[in-house]
Amino acid sequence: MCLGQIGNLLPHVALSANLAQHLMPAWGMSAAEGGLLASGYAFGYMLAVPVLTTLTDRIDARLVLLCGSIVSGLATIAFGLFAVGFWSGVVIWSLAGLGFAGAYMPGLKALTDRLPAGNTSRAVTLYTSSFSLGVGLSFLVAQLVAEHWGWRAAFVVTGIGPAVMAVVCLAMEERRSEHKPGRLLNFKPVFANREALGYIFGYGAHCFELYGVRTWLVGFWAYVTAHQGAPSWMSPVVVSVVFAVISMPASILGNEAALKFGRHRAITAVMIASASVAVLIGLNVAAPAWVVALLLLAYGLTVPADSGALTAGMSAAATREHRGATLALHSTVGFGLSAAGAWGTGVALDVAGGPQSAAGWMLVFIVLAGGIAMGPLALLWSRAGETKSAIAAK
């Protein structure tokens, strides 16, 4: 499943990897338009995931995963072949996000349905943390292919990746649903689960930050290279791949810290640290390239370190009969705020002077810091609810 997910993620940042250097100049887009184009993926995901993930409470998640993987791959290839401007790009890239909505959380459901009873925290964390490895590979392939054969070829090549998950699905044993749920989009039991909601809203803050920085990471480092003279080996390709790949061990270690020190405490500490590092980057965008690189390395560790713990916490808090609906709301909130992160940071970049302005990039990282700072508040809110329930029970 982890290998299949890496294949499914090959298209994931193909657009972000080519946005600032290829698509924005080619189509004459502003940073706000570029951010909105990138957010189309998350928007398509957000619209489809409530139906597709809750559907896994009715049918085998493997079937949803198979169809979603195929749509994601075909739409990515279509972007490379047929996108000719902002509007056609938004429509096709949103379809790719719609396909991924049938791939990521339904994939998690297909996995957890086949795990033995007991603590699934490490298995869930391994699956979610392999997301980062897939994103790193996506950054690498999309940029290298674009450098040699153009950005259109980058989308065509990365669009082949989801075929790996299709093969995994075909090899997976069939499993019938054990439950007979009522209405398809019944989120009432999920909204009644305050513990799960805390993790869901915290995940939304995490996604705002993560998608925002991934959308502009290549463009930001291109700015640093042009203005601070980074060495040739410290290219946007290297920086973006390292930033993504180190997310995998960071996410695993973050979950281990959650198991040892308490989930809420560990996640809150990581989020505060991440907001602090984002502010430091914003205040040092004009510093020497090696200083910015070290700060980005630290940011690459803090941004994903709460991801596995948040998703594992949500999965553990979800009732078994409503797990699909809980996963659906988790993804809807997460990718809805991902879209907001991509577009909001683009607007901030435009407002403060554009991609060639130090003030623009400073505001981008301040916005990211503000977004992740909302996470601890969500966890505090959910814990307050647990305390009230415990007092009422006594």
Side-chain angles (χ1 to χ4, degrees), residues 269-357:
V270 166
M271 288 178 166
I272 292 173
S274 198
S276 301
V277 175
V279 170
L280 284 174
I281 295 174
L283 295 176
N284 289 278
V285 293
W290 67 268
V291 174
V292 182
L294 287 177
L295 289 172
L296 277 178
L297 182 64
Y299 202 41
L301 294 172
T302 61
V303 170
D306 54 0
S307 177
L310 285 164
T311 302
M314 173 277 303
S315 183
T319 58
R320 189 168 183 85
E321 61 271 21
H322 299 295
R323 181 174 289 161
T326 308
L327 290 172
L329 187 62
H330 187 73
S331 272
T332 301
V333 171
F335 277 78
L337 286 171
S338 291
W343 178 66
T345 47
V347 170
L349 190 56
D350 274 344
V351 166
Q356 298 305 315
S357 163

Side-chain angles (χ1 to χ4, degrees), residues 249-265:
S251 182
I252 293 173
L253 291 174
N255 185 65
E256 291 299 316
L259 293 174
K260 184 174 182 179
F261 301 110
R263 202 170 294 280
H264 278 221
R265 183 181 300 172

Side-chain angles (χ1 to χ4, degrees), residues 1 52 55-56 58-71 99 101-103 106-107 109-111 113-114 165-166 168-170 172-177:
M1 285 295 292
L52 297 179
L55 189 63
T56 63
R58 292 171 174 254
I59 65 173
D60 189 351
R62 176 181 68 98
L63 300 176
V64 180
L65 175 60
L66 175 62
C67 294
S69 301
I70 292 172
V71 170
K109 179 67 159 51
L111 174 64
D113 281 348
R114 288 163 175 80
M165 183 60 93
V168 172
C169 289
L170 295 175
M172 196 181 297
E173 64 177 10
E174 184 178 356
R175 184 180 179 89
R176 294 181 180 273
S177 175

